[in-house]
Amino acid sequence: MANLASTWWQQGRSNEAEQLGVEVLELQKEVLGSKHPDTIRAMANLASTWWQQGRSNEAEQLQMEVLELRKEVLGSKHPDTILAMANLASTWRQQGRSNEAEQLGVEVLELQKEVLGSKHPGTILAMANLASTWRQQGRSNEAEQLGVEVLELQKEVLGSKHPDTILAMANLASTWRQQGRSNEAEQLEVEVLELQKEVLGSKHPDTILAMANLASTWWQQGRSNEAEQLGVEVLELQKEVLGSKHPHTILAMANLASTWRQQGRSNEAEQLEVEVLELQKEVLGSKHPGTILAMANLASTWWQQGRSNEAEQLQMEVLELRKEVLGSKHPDTILAMANLASIWWQQGRSNEAEQLGVEVLELQKEVLGSKHPDTILAMANLASTWWQQGRSNEAEQLEVEVLELRKEVLGVDHPDTLSSIENLSITNQNTP
């Protein structure tokens, strides 16, 4: 029975796995006792199922119990004890507690190397989890370096079509998207999606997640119609497979709303974003990065609608929360600063917008690099502020630089590139 539940879990059939897992746990307690290794394993499996269902608080509570029991019964360096630590770290990452996840993840990796060796699948998985935590922290260069190493090891040890190898490809693609390398990300994500369909099937949660990632990359590339079409399909599948309140389902709703905002459909975007924010607060809590992102998205939509006072108030709250939860140099925190500067620009407060915009640009260059799309956007925003201040020569000079960078990084047909061409034309018309 336990093996069948594990198989269903691996297939992404978490509801069936949970039902059987609860039954297995009750039987194990009755027959073997609560401290037998098999009973503890049944607890761990049930916690993993809850994690897959997005029920991170319940998963965490049970995983803490599993970890204590394994330390007592098996010892602190037993592979199953280390696995319990790894699972707890993954749950903390799901909860947005990246600093705690990183600290435990580093400890897990050291133990795995010592006990199992550097090429054991468990050790490689620990590396992969640490890379994912670094990506969540916005440390994309470190995440990429470790992610490349993980992928090579997975191919060597497990083979190119093993689910963990495909997941390593997906994670690397996500890191490239975070770095603004959308063309490379897209190419790898298309490959991942085909492999997931072949190996896991079209309705497996990991396959649906691969579709969602590809839609996000198309959104980043400005291909909003394709992103919308795929995003709608993802949302329907997530609701069917995972349920309407699973974190991945709520994220699919958020991504679709962002696509509608990119298409200028701000009223539809707002309606969906309000729903997303309420769900995130209920499911993840008010200080989870996903909840804060939902607040930021709603503020961006209000900004697009010209409701700058409401947008400013919410964006200020987003900025304070991100500083507290993510730190002042996390890419999402810097993005919140950039959004606030844009709101001040919309309100005609050009001096404040310029001061914050200069700070944003310096931080973007330091953290993301000079050719990241968000850095180029910060340059474009600063040029708009200078234009608003009547400093048309400086604005024109910066806009020329922005246009060249966007042509190089995003391509000539990207909406941001076309926007740069239009902005430069307006500036030229107004330059004496």
Side-chain angles (χ1 to χ4, degrees):
M1 290 172 68
N3 290 338
L4 181 58
S6 295
T7 299
W8 285 343
W9 177 84
Q10 192 176 57
Q11 292 173 330
R13 297 161 61 182
S14 58
N15 292 335
E16 294 161 284
E18 182 198 12
Q19 188 174 350
L20 189 56
V22 168
E23 187 179 349
V24 166
L25 180 55
E26 291 307 310
L27 285 170
Q28 297 281 40
K29 284 180 178 178
E30 180 186 338
V31 175
L32 299 175
S34 60
K35 290 191 177 182
H36 189 281
D38 288 349
T39 306
I40 303 170
R41 183 176 294 111
M43 294 170 65
N45 290 341
L46 182 58
S48 293
T49 300
W50 286 345
W51 181 88
Q52 190 181 64
Q53 292 173 324
R55 297 160 60 183
S56 59
N57 292 336
E58 293 162 283
E60 179 195 15
Q61 189 175 350
L62 191 55
Q63 283 168 342
M64 292 285 284
E65 190 178 348
V66 166
L67 181 54
E68 290 308 309
L69 283 168
R70 281 184 168 165
K71 283 180 178 177
E72 178 189 341
V73 174
L74 301 175
S76 59
K77 288 192 176 182
H78 189 281
D80 287 350
T81 306
I82 304 169
L83 178 61
M85 295 170 65
N87 289 339
L88 182 59
S90 294
T91 297
W92 285 345
R93 187 175 65 251
Q94 188 182 65
Q95 293 172 327
R97 297 159 61 183
S98 58
N99 292 337
E100 293 163 283
E102 181 197 13
Q103 188 175 349
L104 189 55
V106 168
E107 186 180 352
V108 165
L109 181 54
E110 291 308 309
L111 284 168
Q112 296 282 41
K113 285 179 177 177
E114 177 190 342
V115 174
L116 299 176
S118 59
K119 289 192 176 182
H120 188 279
T123 306
I124 304 169
L125 181 60
M127 294 170 64
N129 288 339
L130 184 57
S132 293
T133 299
W134 285 345
R135 186 175 66 250
Q136 188 181 65
Q137 293 174 322
R139 296 159 60 182
S140 58
N141 292 336
E142 293 162 283
E144 181 198 12
Q145 187 175 350
L146 189 56
V148 167
E149 187 180 352
V150 165
L151 181 55
E152 291 308 309
L153 284 168
Q154 297 281 39
K155 285 179 177 177
E156 177 190 342
V157 174
L158 299 175
S160 59
K161 290 191 175 182
H162 189 280
D164 288 350
T165 306
I166 304 169
L167 180 61
M169 294 170 64
N171 288 339
L172 183 58
S174 292
T175 300
W176 286 344
R177 186 173 65 252
Q178 188 181 63
Q179 293 173 323
R181 297 159 60 183
S182 59
N183 291 337
E184 292 163 282
E186 182 197 12
Q187 187 175 350
L188 191 54
E189 283 167 347
V190 168
E191 187 180 351
V192 165
L193 182 54
E194 290 308 309
L195 284 168
Q196 297 282 39
K197 285 179 177 178
E198 177 189 341
V199 174
L200 299 175
S202 60
K203 289 193 175 182
H204 189 280
D206 288 350
T207 306
I208 303 169
L209 184 59
M211 294 170 65
N213 288 339
L214 182 58
S216 292
T217 298
W218 286 345
W219 179 87
Q220 189 181 65
Q221 293 173 326
R223 297 159 61 183
S224 59
N225 291 337
E226 292 162 284
E228 182 196 14
Q229 187 175 351
L230 188 56
V232 168
E233 187 179 353
V234 165
L235 181 54
E236 291 307 310
L237 283 168
Q238 297 283 37
K239 285 180 177 177
E240 177 190 342
V241 174
L242 299 175
S244 60
K245 289 192 175 182
H246 190 281
H248 288 176
T249 306
I250 304 169
L251 180 61
M253 294 170 65
N255 289 342
L256 182 59
S258 293
T259 300
W260 287 344
R261 186 174 64 253
Q262 189 181 64
Q263 293 172 326
R265 297 159 60 183
S266 59
N267 291 337
E268 293 163 282
E270 181 196 12
Q271 187 175 351
L272 190 54
E273 283 166 349
V274 168
E275 186 180 352
V276 165
L277 181 54
E278 291 307 309
L279 284 168
Q280 295 283 44
K281 285 179 177 177
E282 177 190 342
V283 174
L284 299 176
S286 59
K287 288 192 175 182
H288 189 281
T291 306
I292 304 170
L293 177 61
M295 295 169 64
N297 288 340
L298 182 58
S300 293
T301 298
W302 285 346
W303 178 85
Q304 189 181 66
Q305 292 172 326
R307 298 159 61 183
S308 60
N309 291 336
E310 293 163 284
E312 180 191 15
Q313 187 176 350
L314 189 55
Q315 196 62 249
M316 290 285 284
E317 190 177 350
V318 166
L319 181 54
E320 290 308 308
L321 283 168
R322 282 184 168 164
K323 284 180 178 177
E324 177 191 342
V325 174
L326 301 175
S328 59
K329 288 193 175 182
H330 189 283
D332 288 350
T333 306
I334 304 168
L335 182 60
M337 294 170 64
N339 289 339
L340 183 58
S342 294
I343 290 168
W344 287 344
W345 175 85
Q346 188 182 64
Q347 293 172 328
R349 297 158 62 183
S350 58
N351 291 336
E352 292 163 284
E354 182 199 13
Q355 186 176 350
L356 189 55
V358 167
E359 186 180 353
V360 165
L361 182 54
E362 290 307 310
L363 284 168
Q364 297 282 37
K365 286 179 177 177
E366 176 190 343
V367 174
L368 298 176
S370 59
K371 290 190 176 183
H372 190 281
D374 287 350
T375 306
I376 304 170
L377 179 60
M379 294 170 65
N381 289 341
L382 184 57
S384 295
T385 300
W386 285 346
W387 185 86
Q388 189 181 63
Q389 291 173 323
R391 297 158 62 182
S392 55
N393 290 333
E394 291 164 284
E396 180 185 13
Q397 187 176 350
L398 191 55
E399 282 171 351
V400 168
E401 189 178 351
V402 166
L403 179 56
E404 291 308 310
L405 283 168
R406 282 181 164 165
K407 284 179 178 176
E408 176 189 343
V409 174
L410 301 175
V412 293
D413 294 325
H414 190 282
D416 288 350
T417 307
L418 299 175
S419 176
S420 285
I421 294 171
E422 183 181 356
N423 288 340
L424 188 57
S425 174
I426 292 170
T427 300
N428 287 333
Q429 291 171 15
N430 288 276
T431 302

